[in-house]
Amino acid sequence: MGKIIIDGKSLTIEKVVKIARCNEEVVISEEAYERVIESRKIVDDIVENDRVKYGITTGFGKFSDVTITQEDCKTLQRNLIISHACGFGEPFSIDETRGIMLLRINNLVKGYSGIRVETLNTLLEMLNKGVTPIIPQKGSLGASGDLAPLAHMVLPMIGEGEAIFNGERMTGQKAMELAGISTIELTAKEGLALINGTQVMTSVGVLALYDSKILLETADITSALTLEALRGIRDAFNPAIHEIRPHQGQINTAENILKLVEGSTLITSQGELRVQDAYTLRCIPQVHGASKDAYRYVREKVEIEINSVTDNPIITRDGEVYSGGNFHGQPMAIIFDFLGIAMSEIGNISERRLERLINYQLNDLPAFLVKKGGLNSGYMITQYAAAALVSENKVLAHPASVDSIPSSANQEDHVSMGTIAARKARDIINNTYRVLATEIMAACQAIDFREGFKLGKATQAAYNEVRKEVKFIEEDIVMYKDLDLCTELLRSEKINNAVNEIIKINI
């Protein structure tokens, strides 16, 4: 296992995934430590000289006009954490929580937060030694930072709250003791430095974005198999069509489909069996392509955010302290709403292709893709379940970012709801994985009814991976088990990797 150096400016989405999901060790660069030390000197000077600066020697939010004495600074920071830790609901997953911790560290090492090295190292040790705070998913407005969930992240650092260590849920104090990490007493500015930022929404969104890339590749592979199963027409993917409407995602998708089905005898030409296909086949480049274009836009904004400062107040290199609004999650709220909408459409068109596969009125295959129909129901109810997920996605795709509720006695009178947007995008993506898994299983089932034909070289590789996990269904089985296997297969990237050994799928 390698080490990843964190310096506040070179973190990538792929590095976040390696640390959050693969437990890569994190090391802070020497240059970053120097910035942290210099920033802390400014905070110490403010406190020692009784200068009035928001969040350092004042209260928070509407209490910003209340001055805090040197003697009360530590009490202020502890009170901030314990009072703000009022989240609700199921906790974030371990990888999401690790991502939250990592992104907060990367924010702090930029040197605009005024935190002590000892406090920073405590959070770093927790990440590297596997102390994962229990952070409830609900309770953030997505402005003034992800205050409530980040406060839960800090609780074990001060010997409070709960955490998971070695797979067991326990008190934060016990987890820190077992991991050999000393708890700390927060001093001036540190509580605010730890909880004022967009790291919760961004962590959830980063991991969802990474998963969406896999999903987009899988959607092209799955739709190519469906196209072959239904003996679809290749002409709709001719470059001549897409060059004159040159959206990059559309061009890439059309190119992917042609490469995937190359060598197939199932695929047809215009007029061979019919003149044109239904939209869910013919318009794959336009629909998938639009979602890919959205993905690239979201990725660009996320890459900026994970290396940005989202504190308030900001402590500049020249010793000034500025109150601003970098904690406001609107830049992330809108893009994660966008991501959710884009991925919802991938599920939407996939479910309609599934219907074309199993509905004997729309094809020349056995009803519901099963022998002895009537005695067996085959894939009949898989479409029901997929339709339920697609409809749920439509509800989830309603933008969170269009809502706002004033808080802190109307001082904080516009908020982003960005964390809700990120959670919804994640849930949409999870649902869409299941819809695509259902489609690819049905496509392979349909292909097995087509005797005497040959798949494309790349789609054959995808088919082979599916058949390693799930077999042709001769008669009714307990269906969810195979669907579960296929869903995990899609998430594992085994299908994508097998295909990418033969052709390159472009997003």
Side-chain angles (χ1 to χ4, degrees), residues 140-212:
S140 176
L141 294 175
S144 294
D146 285 309
L147 294 173
L150 285 172
H152 281 275
M153 179 196 76
V154 179
L155 286 176
M157 297 175 70
I158 62 174
E160 300 287 351
E162 294 181 276
I164 293 174
F165 182 67
N166 287 340
E168 183 183 345
R169 183 168 176 168
M170 61 188 74
T171 67
Q173 180 71 47
K174 182 179 178 182
M176 297 291 274
E177 288 173 358
L178 290 175
I181 306 171
S182 300
T183 57
I184 57 170
E185 185 178 32
L186 299 174
T187 64
K189 177 66 167 67
E190 291 193 302
L192 198 57
L194 286 163
I195 71 172
N196 207 332
T198 62
Q199 283 67 46
V200 175
M201 68 182 81
T202 308
S203 173
V204 175
V206 165
L207 296 174
L209 181 68
Y210 182 84
D211 291 340
S212 72

Side-chain angles (χ1 to χ4, degrees), residues 59-71:
F60 310 107
K62 191 60 179 175
F63 291 135
S64 60
D65 56 353
V66 177
T67 303
I68 305 299
T69 65
Q70 283 190 47
E71 294 74 24

